Amino acid sequence: MAIELQTLECEGNGCTENGVKAKMEIQVAEVTRGLASIPQMVEEDNDVVFSKRGSNIKNMPTGTITPMRKANGVMEFDLWVERPEV
Protein backbone atom coordinates (compact mmCIF):
# COMPACT_ATOMS: atom_id res chain seq x y z
CA MET A 1 0.00 0.00 0.00
CA ALA A 2 1.48 3.35 -1.03
CA ILE A 3 1.13 6.43 1.15
CA GLU A 4 0.79 9.80 -0.58
CA LEU A 5 2.92 12.48 1.09
CA GLN A 6 2.45 16.23 0.83
CA THR A 7 5.53 18.30 1.81
CA LEU A 8 4.89 21.60 3.57
CA GLU A 9 7.42 24.31 4.38
CA CYS A 10 6.36 25.44 7.81
CA GLU A 11 7.86 28.89 8.44
CA GLY A 12 6.22 30.14 11.58
CA ASN A 13 3.02 28.25 10.79
CA GLY A 14 3.75 25.60 13.39
CA CYS A 15 3.40 26.20 17.09
CA THR A 16 4.80 24.17 20.00
CA GLU A 17 2.81 23.44 23.15
CA ASN A 18 4.42 26.44 24.87
CA GLY A 19 3.29 28.82 22.11
CA VAL A 20 6.58 29.17 20.23
CA LYS A 21 6.44 29.34 16.44
CA ALA A 22 8.43 26.60 14.73
CA LYS A 23 10.01 26.37 11.29
CA MET A 24 9.96 22.78 10.14
CA GLU A 25 9.60 20.89 6.88
CA ILE A 26 6.72 18.52 7.39
CA GLN A 27 5.43 15.70 5.25
CA VAL A 28 1.73 15.13 5.76
CA ALA A 29 -0.04 11.84 5.07
CA GLU A 30 -3.12 10.02 6.30
CA VAL A 31 -1.42 8.63 9.41
CA THR A 32 -2.17 8.78 13.12
CA ARG A 33 1.08 10.53 14.07
CA GLY A 34 3.87 12.47 12.42
CA LEU A 35 7.52 11.46 12.27
CA ALA A 36 10.42 13.78 13.01
CA SER A 37 13.98 13.38 11.75
CA ILE A 38 16.54 13.83 14.54
CA PRO A 39 19.45 14.41 12.08
CA GLN A 40 17.39 17.10 10.33
CA MET A 41 16.57 18.76 13.67
CA VAL A 42 20.29 18.82 14.56
CA GLU A 43 21.14 20.22 11.10
CA GLU A 44 18.66 23.05 11.76
CA ASP A 45 20.67 24.06 14.90
CA ASN A 46 18.72 22.19 17.56
CA ASP A 47 20.14 20.03 20.35
CA VAL A 48 18.05 16.91 20.98
CA VAL A 49 18.32 15.27 24.41
CA PHE A 50 17.00 11.83 25.35
CA SER A 51 17.18 11.18 29.09
CA LYS A 52 15.30 9.44 31.90
CA ARG A 53 15.44 12.83 33.67
CA GLY A 54 13.69 14.63 30.84
CA SER A 55 13.94 14.66 27.05
CA ASN A 56 13.70 17.82 24.96
CA ILE A 57 14.55 19.71 21.81
CA LYS A 58 16.48 22.94 22.38
CA ASN A 59 16.67 25.53 19.61
CA MET A 60 20.18 26.91 20.02
CA PRO A 61 19.69 30.40 18.47
CA THR A 62 16.59 31.18 20.58
CA GLY A 63 17.15 28.97 23.63
CA THR A 64 13.57 27.70 23.35
CA ILE A 65 13.08 24.23 24.83
CA THR A 66 10.32 21.91 23.60
CA PRO A 67 9.70 19.00 25.99
CA MET A 68 9.34 15.43 24.73
CA ARG A 69 7.70 12.48 26.50
CA LYS A 70 7.78 8.72 26.02
CA ALA A 71 4.42 7.19 25.14
CA ASN A 72 3.86 3.63 23.95
CA GLY A 73 7.57 3.12 23.32
CA VAL A 74 8.12 6.23 21.17
CA MET A 75 9.11 9.81 21.90
CA GLU A 76 6.44 12.44 21.31
CA PHE A 77 6.24 16.23 21.33
CA ASP A 78 3.33 18.50 20.55
CA LEU A 79 3.31 20.67 17.43
CA TRP A 80 0.30 22.38 15.92
CA VAL A 81 0.40 23.23 12.23
CA GLU A 82 -1.97 25.52 10.34
CA ARG A 83 -3.61 23.82 7.39
CA PRO A 84 -2.81 25.49 4.08
CA GLU A 85 -5.73 27.23 2.43
CA VAL A 86 -7.05 25.33 -0.57
Side-chain angles (χ1 to χ4, degrees):
M1 175 172 83
I3 297 174
E4 183 179 333
L5 295 175
Q6 175 185 4
T7 300
L8 303 176
E9 281 289 334
C10 178
E11 295 204 28
N13 293 332
C15 186
T16 66
E17 69 179 13
N18 37 354
V20 178
K21 291 188 176 191
K23 177 186 175 205
M24 180 180 278
E25 182 176 305
I26 300 169
Q27 291 186 322
V28 179
E30 292 295 323
V31 295
T32 58
R33 68 177 80 163
L35 300 174
S37 167
I38 302 306
Q40 187 173 4
M41 286 184 194
V42 171
E43 185 67 29
E44 293 293 329
D45 210 8
N46 294 285
D47 283 354
V48 183
V49 176
F50 297 95
S51 171
K52 290 181 181 179
R53 293 171 296 285
S55 299
N56 63 69
I57 304 162
K58 180 176 182 181
N59 182 271
M60 297 311 292
T62 66
T64 301
I65 296 175
T66 301
M68 293 190 293
R69 66 194 166 279
K70 187 175 180 181
N72 299 317
V74 297
M75 298 305 291
E76 296 181 342
F77 63 96
D78 295 321
L79 180 72
W80 288 262
V81 178
E82 293 178 9
R83 291 183 181 264
E85 293 184 28
V86 286

